[in-house]
Amino acid sequence: MNILVTGGCGFIGGNFVRLLLGTDRDFRLVNLDKLTYAGNLANVADLADDPRYRFVKGDICDAELINRIFSEEKIDHVVHFAAESHVDRSIDGPAAFIETNIIGTFTLLEAARAAWLGEGRDATGKRFLHVSTDEVYGSLGETGYFTETTPYDPRSPYSASKASSDHLVSAYHHTYGLPTLMTNCSNNYGPYHFPEKLIPLIITNALKGKDLPVYGDGSNVRDWLYVVDHCRAILRVLDQGKVGDTYNVGGNSEKKNLEVVETICDLLDEVAPPLADGMPRRSLIRFVKDRPGHDKRYAIDASKLRSELGWEPEVTFQEGIRRTIEWYLANTAWTDAILNGSYQEYYRSMYSERLK
Ligand code: NAD
Ligand code: DAU
């Protein structure tokens, strides 16, 4: 079994590579990652000596490279994480999202089609799992849930690019018979989360006594899932999912953003050294300019994954957020390397815009 994981140096991809290499399965895993600002070899550095693992630095838009990997490595399964993933960045500069999320996915699909469905080829046992997001479904009101049949209604350049890639994946299944699977997941959190995203941003800023930016009034709702539970779901779908199907993945753990931020503040006051001025960390909260087109609420109905494949989240939000905080406390070298690098300037200018 030869598996191509794209984006395996990012947050979820890295946790997935860790999960898979933590099993005693017999396989070969090729991790293809461009190492953008969000990709970090340190996320998988301790796994690099596993004889089942190979890292390739490269772009999913590079057709020649992808075709070479398919033929050299005789790829059976693709688990496709690589993407531009941050909504705010997609608003400031959508081009990279169009390129990687749409053209990159198209390039991978074409390579899989040539390798698995070309003249004299055999697609038996092959699987192309596309990792997607609940944001393709748009925004919910006070009630209701996204199901696998909710019509697509993306609202940011990020979600529009992911929706576009999802449609390409479905089209390749329906038109060419490519053996695809798709997962649409809610917000993840946990170890190795890049600190531009809400939870790691709040943890790292609160540890340093810096402002905690809350967009708008903090009443937007996200459905949080511990990243390892998401990775377990992906593995379950890869192993047992029905080809051509989509599976929604969610934590059944809706929280208003302000509640998430206050929970982190209170836990840090409990377990981390106090701030220099002795003030509670909630005093760092700043309500700032809202994200344009900010989706109000996401909530996933994951009952298909539960009833058909027996997956359930194992980690509650209370437990997961504690584990996450402990991880960030124990891994300040990982965060400092990011926070002291080129990201620092990006954050400063982005935050000053938010204060205007
Ligand atoms: P991330 O930004 O942390 O990681 C993305 C990875 O992809 C990085 O390692 C980056 O270097 C790599 N990459 C980017 N462009 C590339 C290219 N052109 N070629 C090769 N590699 C490239 O993202 P994440 O949060 O780990 O998300 C992974 C996937 O899961 C994405 O497809 C995202 O849409 C989806 N998703 C994320 C969440 C979430 O809460 N983070 C929820 C649901 C779905
Ligand atoms: O729902 C799945 C999606 O979750 C994934 O597809 C995306 O890749 C991932 O980035 C995430 O998108 P969000 O936009 O929901 O995540 P983010 O962490 O950027 O923001 C979470 C919420 O917190 C959102 O309502 C915006 C708000 N927010 C965010 C930041 C960075 C703040 O209030 N302050 C902040 O500083």
Side-chain angles (χ1 to χ4, degrees):
M1 181 61 64
N2 301 315
I3 306 173
L4 172 63
V5 171
T6 69
C9 296
F11 166 47
I12 308 174
N15 275 285
F16 181 78
V17 169
R18 186 170 297 282
L19 177 74
L20 208 49
L21 290 174
T23 68
D24 56 8
R25 293 176 183 215
D26 183 18
F27 61 87
R28 179 165 170 78
L29 190 157
V30 180
N31 174 8
L32 171 69
D33 199 297
K34 187 179 174 181
L35 298 181
T36 67
Y37 79 94
N40 189 345
L41 272 177
N43 295 7
V44 286
D46 56 314
L47 309 171
D49 291 337
D50 191 311
R52 296 171 294 179
Y53 176 81
R54 174 185 170 200
F55 172 67
V56 177
K57 181 172 188 285
D59 193 328
I60 56 167
C61 300
D62 181 345
E64 205 185 305
L65 171 68
I66 309 295
N67 285 327
R68 196 164 66 237
I69 292 174
F70 265 85
S71 89
E72 269 177 21
E73 299 284 352
K74 304 197 169 26
I75 296 299
D76 302 297
H77 290 177
V78 176
V79 187
H80 174 33
F81 294 95
E84 287 293 335
S85 68
H86 194 47
V87 174
D88 294 323
R89 286 185 191 246
S90 83
I91 295 166
D92 295 342
F97 290 71
I98 306 306
E99 189 66 21
T100 285
N101 299 0
I102 306 177
I103 307 294
T105 302
F106 162 72
T107 308
L108 284 167
L109 288 165
E110 276 290 276
R113 181 163 83 93
W116 298 346
L117 302 172
E119 185 82 26
R121 306 297 170 104
D122 182 6
T124 312
K126 307 287 193 274
R127 288 162 101 80
F128 186 114
L129 195 162
H130 176 61
V131 179
S132 193
T133 169
D134 60 356
E135 298 202 11
V136 297
Y137 298 124
S139 182
L140 291 164
E142 296 283 308
T143 57
Y145 295 90
F146 297 133
T147 70
E148 287 81 0
T149 55
T150 301
Y152 274 35
D153 183 21
R155 283 134 179 274
S156 71
Y158 163 69
S159 53
S161 68
K162 289 296 291 188
S164 178
S165 65
D166 291 8
H167 289 318
L168 282 169
V169 170
S170 300
Y172 271 64
H173 174 68
H174 290 289
T175 306
Y176 304 114
L178 195 77
T180 62
L181 298 141
M182 192 144 65
T183 53
N184 291 79
C185 187
S186 64
N187 285 64
N188 286 215
Y189 67 101
Y192 303 101
H193 205 179
F194 193 87
E196 67 187 341
K197 304 279 174 27
L198 178 71
I199 288 184
L201 173 77
I202 297 299
I203 296 173
T204 51
N205 278 10
L207 278 172
K208 292 182 190 293
K210 290 168 68 178
D211 285 4
L212 308 180
V214 173
Y215 297 172
D217 63 2
S219 65
N220 297 64
V221 172
R222 296 293 181 265
D223 172 3
W224 294 98
L225 179 67
Y226 192 61
V227 64
V228 179
D229 276 332
H230 182 196
C231 294
R232 288 178 42 252
I234 291 169
L235 194 52
R236 186 67 59 91
V237 172
L238 186 66
D239 286 342
Q240 297 171 26
K242 183 164 163 268
V243 163
D245 268 21
T246 288
Y247 297 86
N248 278 359
V249 190
N252 197 19
S253 183
E254 287 180 57
K255 305 263 174 266
K256 288 190 172 148
N257 291 338
L258 185 58
E259 188 188 343
V260 171
V261 173
E262 288 177 343
T263 303
I264 294 170
C265 288
D266 297 350
L267 279 170
L268 282 175
D269 285 344
E270 205 183 297
V271 300
L275 294 178
D277 59 9
M279 292 289 280
R281 285 183 166 82
R282 285 187 186 212
S283 65
L284 301 169
I285 293 173
R286 300 282 175 269
F287 292 95
V288 298
K289 197 158 75 181
D290 208 351
R291 174 184 281 174
H294 195 174
D295 287 340
K296 187 67 188 177
R297 174 174 166 258
Y298 304 145
I300 278 279
D301 175 349
S303 54
K304 174 176 174 182
L305 188 55
R306 193 179 319 116
S307 64
E308 293 188 11
L309 303 186
W311 173 90
E312 297 258 15
E314 287 178 357
V315 181
T316 62
F317 185 76
Q318 289 87 329
E319 173 58 23
I321 198 73
R322 269 190 188 274
R323 283 192 203 176
T324 304
I325 284 173
E326 276 163 19
W327 189 87
Y328 280 89
L329 282 170
N331 289 278
T332 48
W334 182 88
T335 27
D336 284 347
I338 295 170
L339 298 174
N340 298 332
S342 56
Y343 171 69
Q344 192 173 169
E345 197 37 54
Y346 168 83
Y347 180 73
R348 266 203 210 112
S349 88
M350 191 269 297
Y351 188 54
S352 70
E353 281 300 312
R354 291 262 174 234
L355 293 175
K356 281 181 189 159

